Amino acid sequence: MCGIVGYIGDENVTGVIIEGLKKLEYRGYDSAGIALCSEKNPLIVRKKKGRISNLEELIEEEKLFSHTGIGHTRWATHGEPSDRNAHPHTDMSGRIAVVHNGIIENYAELKEELIEKNGSVFQSDTDTEVAAHLIGSYYQGDLEDAVYRATQKMRGAYAFGVICADEPDKIVAARKDSPLIVGLGRKGNFIASDIPALLKYVRQIYLIENNELVVLKENEVKIYNADREEVHRDVFNVTWDEDAAEKEGYDHFMIKEIHEQPAGIRDTLGRRVDDQGEIILDGIELTREDLEQFNRIYIVACGTAYHAGLIGKFAIEKLAKVPVEVDVASEFRYRDPFIDNHTLFIAISQSGETLDTLGALRMAKEKGARIMSVVNVVGSSIARESDDVFYTWAGPEIAVASTKAYTTQLICMYLIALYMGRKKGVLSEKLYRLILEELTIIPDKLEALLEEQDHIKEIAEQMYQHNDAFFIGRGVDASVAFEGSLKLKEISYINSFAIAAGELKHGTIALIDKGTPVVALATQTALLEKTVSNIQEVKARGAYVFAVAQEGSKDQLKDADEVILIPQCMDEISPILSIVPLQLLAYQIAKLRGCDIDKPKNLAKSVTVE
Ligand code: AGP
């Protein structure tokens, strides 16, 4: 986790770094810090617990000035959030400063060695301070060499930005398993954890690869590989609009992103279905022979992306007739799944940097699987390490709670399932055309559904004071229930629990009392009667029931206290619509509870630690 940024150039770095950090705050925000150096000044380090605004307040009066600096926004891994544990950290001499995203796994061992050999004294509980001391212990007037030698001793993941008071004309950066980019500006050069941090200043980017080291000067950037040979890197031109990363008048990024779903879906679909209704999987070559030789598919992801995988399994099994197993990445990578060269591994990830998903991908790759990924962030690690990438074109997602990435992931999963089924010849032309047609009109239906906001706000008013909530559903509705429940708990801190509706009576129903909110998904025509029985069971125990169903089923749902009807659609694709009222419900409840919606406590947007 954590975000790093650095700048060397003509402008005063303080403003540039604070701006960059604000764009990276989604990666962690329990403390922030900055280090500057220049020919006239020794190293200046300022850091503060809490949000970046606290750091801004701290340095406001000082009018710090420099042309070389690094900054950090933290999501604690080693040591509590505090001023002391905030980055940057310095070496023993106080002349080298380091910002770091990742985890140094052998830091305890290294720390002991440093104490023994150099008498190092540490000020913090962090692994990063150990890295700073290690770099310092190798420093003999050449920062690049010291960083290189230190990284050779480290195990784990890192993206480092390092400056030294004795060499104020350079920033040295290094990467292993944590994201790092270089921005090429007209008045200087930048490093950052990701592209949005630099959009205000640059459009030309170098994507730094694993085990590479970068030396930045005001007018020069050099990249070296693990053997310290200089490497050439093509410039990646960013086409995103900076406005796309701003709130555009909405109160929060989350609500803006909920409203961006029709456009995101149109973009994701538009580039993949040609005039003849044929699906184009970008450059992905999946022949009939390829598909016939896959005897199993694993879909592996975390959190919301995992929930998209659950729907993906349903779609692929139904439309392409291949057995699919879905797993959370943190479990998958430490069990012994059966993988060989007849396995197709599909990773789903918004950020493309989730370390658990990346770890699972690498394991599957090593064992011979073909790797496909469904990713939102272009050029991210998961995208780069996959054999085939299928991008969701949701645009930058800033709110920690994922919304538009999820619905575009669903679109991708349906497209993959339709493509596979058709290529294999196991899907009828009629069903293929019907689903594709339905998908193309989904954005309009979604727009209509977004009009229901006021009604959902009324429902939120009934629910927001409760400390527990339950989500139930059958078939694909159960998967949507999991996602709706996650949305609610992560931004409103309500203890929310999702369960397959039929499982309620096997234990969980014991928790239903008078007034307990139950959100019931009832969009599946064939399962409607069964779900209605489950609604009656909780109603009989006094629950307050909010049901989401398809137009035309209101009569069957008269026991529910509130009903939101989604526009009629094929049962198979209802999840793209039925999740929207749940996203809005979570948003409205969190707002009523006064929560920090875009940056919920304890969470970060991009989870680059295990
Ligand atoms: C979504 O609302 C969550 N904050 C989280 O579960 C997220 O989906 C998960 O961490 C996976 O992230 P990724 O899609 O970037 O891999």
Side-chain angles (χ1 to χ4, degrees):
M1 220 80 75
C2 307
I4 67 167
V5 65
Y7 172 65
I8 181 160
D10 222 26
E11 300 199 25
N12 182 14
V13 290
T14 315
V16 176
I17 287 177
I18 295 289
E19 273 299 311
L21 288 180
K22 282 182 183 164
K23 295 277 161 41
L24 290 174
E25 223 178 355
Y26 72 87
R27 301 178 67 86
Y29 36 83
D30 57 44
S31 59
I34 185 166
L36 314 172
C37 67
S38 66
E39 272 144 32
K40 290 183 206 132
N41 296 316
L43 200 65
I44 297 170
V45 179
R46 299 287 181 269
K47 42 199 201 172
K48 194 76 194 150
K49 181 180 169 185
R51 299 282 161 95
I52 290 157
S53 51
N54 296 2
L55 174 68
E56 274 186 292
E57 267 170 42
L58 176 76
I59 59 176
E60 203 178 12
E61 303 286 298
E62 284 192 271
K63 307 268 175 289
L64 298 173
F65 189 87
S66 164
H67 293 293
T68 308
I70 50 177
H72 189 268
T73 178
R74 179 171 187 251
W75 186 82
T77 57
H78 294 69
E80 52 164 20
S82 63
D83 292 354
R84 197 169 63 84
N85 287 329
H87 300 211
H89 290 284
T90 51
D91 73 328
M92 278 271 276
S93 72
R95 301 187 67 74
I96 292 174
V98 176
V99 287
H100 167 219
N101 169 31
I103 289 181
I104 309 301
E105 283 165 3
N106 58 337
Y107 86 103
E109 215 173 281
L110 294 170
K111 193 171 183 173
E112 243 171 65
E113 254 178 68
L114 286 160
I115 294 171
E116 224 169 82
K117 282 193 195 153
N118 305 357
S120 281
V121 178
F122 293 92
Q123 315 292 330
S124 77
D125 310 316
T126 65
D127 51 341
T128 307
E129 194 185 8
V130 175
H133 279 237
L134 191 63
I135 294 169
S137 74
Y138 287 120
Y139 187 69
Q140 287 177 336
D142 182 348
L143 187 61
E144 181 191 328
D145 188 61
V147 173
Y148 175 79
R149 291 176 65 190
T151 54
Q152 299 307 296
K153 294 267 284 181
M154 291 176 204
R155 282 201 312 275
Y158 53 77
F160 286 122
V162 189
I163 55 172
C164 174
D166 298 329
E167 297 176 74
D169 64 332
K170 66 167 76 152
I171 297 176
V172 177
R175 173 196 173 173
K176 183 175 171 281
D177 292 342
S178 296
L180 179 69
I181 60 157
V182 167
L184 307 168
R186 269 182 292 135
K187 293 180 174 175
N189 295 308
F190 304 75
I191 53 164
S193 295
D194 74 13
I195 296 171
L198 304 184
L199 278 183
K200 187 166 178 191
Y201 308 100
V202 295
R203 285 290 183 277
Q204 296 200 312
I205 299 286
Y206 285 149
L207 300 167
I208 303 306
E209 302 282 353
N210 255 346
N211 301 311
E212 285 183 342
L213 186 140
V214 192
V215 182
L216 288 97
K217 295 194 172 170
E218 185 174 339
N219 300 311
E220 178 186 276
V221 174
K222 288 193 171 179
I223 306 173
Y224 299 94
N225 65 17
D227 299 322
R228 301 191 75 180
E229 295 154 344
E230 192 177 342
V231 290
H232 167 81
R233 181 66 26 86
D234 289 335
V235 170
F236 176 73
N237 283 302
V238 182
T239 51
W240 297 351
D241 183 351
E242 201 197 334
D243 284 355
E246 297 296 338
K247 279 194 211 130
E248 287 170 6
Y250 286 97
D251 287 348
H252 300 93
F253 280 112
M254 182 182 178
I255 191 71
K256 174 180 173 249
E257 287 159 8
I258 289 174
H259 280 87
E260 284 172 345
Q261 293 181 106
I265 291 175
R266 278 191 192 104
D267 279 352
T268 302
L269 270 172
R271 305 175 188 221
R272 275 57 183 267
V273 187
D274 70 12
D275 299 343
Q276 270 69 52
E278 293 303 323
I279 294 172
I280 313 144
L281 286 189
D282 297 344
I284 303 176
E285 259 306 305
L286 270 182
T287 61
R288 186 175 182 144
E289 294 69 52
D290 286 338
L291 291 170
E292 271 165 1
Q293 59 104 17
F294 294 137
N295 53 22
R296 87 188 62 225
I297 297 176
Y298 288 112
I299 301 179
V300 178
C302 303
T304 288
Y306 166 74
H307 297 150
L310 294 174
I311 309 278
K313 169 188 164 76
F314 157 85
I316 294 174
E317 286 186 341
K318 175 158 185 154
L319 306 175
K321 315 275 182 241
V322 195
V324 180
E325 212 184 299
V326 195
D327 207 348
V328 286
S330 54
E331 286 299 313
F332 184 84
R333 61 187 297 201
Y334 294 115
R335 65 184 172 94
D336 201 7
F338 188 86
I339 301 172
D340 61 14
N341 51 5
H342 295 289
T343 306
L344 175 64
F345 175 97
I346 306 179
I348 308 180
S349 175
Q350 186 286 129
S351 62
E353 299 294 350
T354 303
L355 195 63
D356 282 321
T357 310
L358 189 58
L361 177 156
R362 286 177 180 158
M363 179 182 86
K365 199 172 187 173
E366 220 175 88
K367 292 187 173 177
R370 175 148 171 190
I371 311 292
M372 182 191 277
S373 62
V374 173
V375 172
N376 194 38
V377 177
V378 176
S380 55
S381 303
I382 291 177
R384 279 185 283 159
E385 295 193 27
S386 300
D387 298 314
D388 308 296
V389 190
F390 198 47
Y391 283 113
T392 45
W393 293 108
E397 192 180 66
I398 307 296
V400 165
S402 184
T403 52
K404 60 177 182 170
Y406 173 75
T407 40
T408 52
Q409 281 159 358
L410 294 186
I411 294 289
C412 288
M413 295 319 292
Y414 287 115
L415 290 179
I416 291 170
L418 286 168
Y419 179 93
M420 286 180 173
R422 188 169 171 80
K423 263 266 148 90
K424 282 181 71 184
V426 293
L427 173 63
S428 75
E429 183 68 16
K430 192 171 162 216
L431 190 55
Y432 173 86
R433 295 275 162 205
L434 259 175
I435 296 182
L436 210 52
E437 243 166 66
E438 281 270 322
L439 288 177
T440 48
I441 53 174
I442 276 278
D444 299 336
K445 292 184 176 175
L446 235 155
E447 265 155 11
L449 196 50
L450 286 166
E451 304 285 308
E452 292 279 357
Q453 249 190 115
D454 290 343
H455 186 184
I456 291 170
K457 203 168 163 199
E458 285 166 23
I459 300 169
E461 275 157 12
Q462 300 298 314
M463 289 175 64
Y464 82 100
Q465 281 169 321
H466 287 267
N467 287 327
D468 304 294
F470 294 85
F471 285 69
I472 59 170
R474 285 172 176 262
V476 282
D477 280 346
S479 308
V480 177
F482 291 134
E483 174 56 11
S485 170
L486 176 66
K487 281 295 84 82
L488 183 63
K489 81 177 81 167
E490 72 179 324
I491 62 166
S492 74
Y493 317 138
I494 286 178
N495 183 14
S496 164
F497 185 78
I499 186 166
E503 267 293 293
L504 261 179
K505 57 187 174 295
H506 298 290
T508 305
I509 202 162
L511 299 172
I512 306 295
D513 272 324
K514 193 163 184 299
T516 307
V518 175
V519 179
L521 278 296
T523 71
Q524 300 300 290
T525 322
L527 299 167
L528 186 58
E529 277 180 17
K530 305 270 174 218
T531 312
V532 167
S533 305
N534 299 129
I535 291 175
Q536 279 157 351
E537 284 159 17
V538 292
K539 270 311 289 178
R541 272 100 189 151
Y544 166 85
V545 175
F546 161 37
V548 176
Q550 287 201 44
E551 262 168 15
S553 31
K554 196 158 187 178
D555 287 351
Q556 285 100 312
L557 291 162
K558 46 187 181 308
D559 285 331
D561 296 274
E562 291 291 345
V563 182
I564 292 276
L565 296 173
I566 60 169
Q568 252 178 3
C569 62
M570 290 176 76
D571 285 6
E572 287 82 350
I573 61 158
S574 69
I576 316 171
L577 294 170
S578 59
I579 190 58
V580 176
L582 309 191
Q583 295 169 339
L584 289 169
L585 180 74
Y587 175 77
Q588 295 296 352
I589 289 179
K591 208 168 168 189
L592 287 165
R593 287 168 73 98
C595 299
D596 191 346
I597 293 178
D598 286 336
K599 294 184 187 118
K601 70 176 159 70
N602 303 341
L603 296 178
K605 182 69 181 162
S606 181
V607 187
T608 51
V609 293
E610 276 195 55

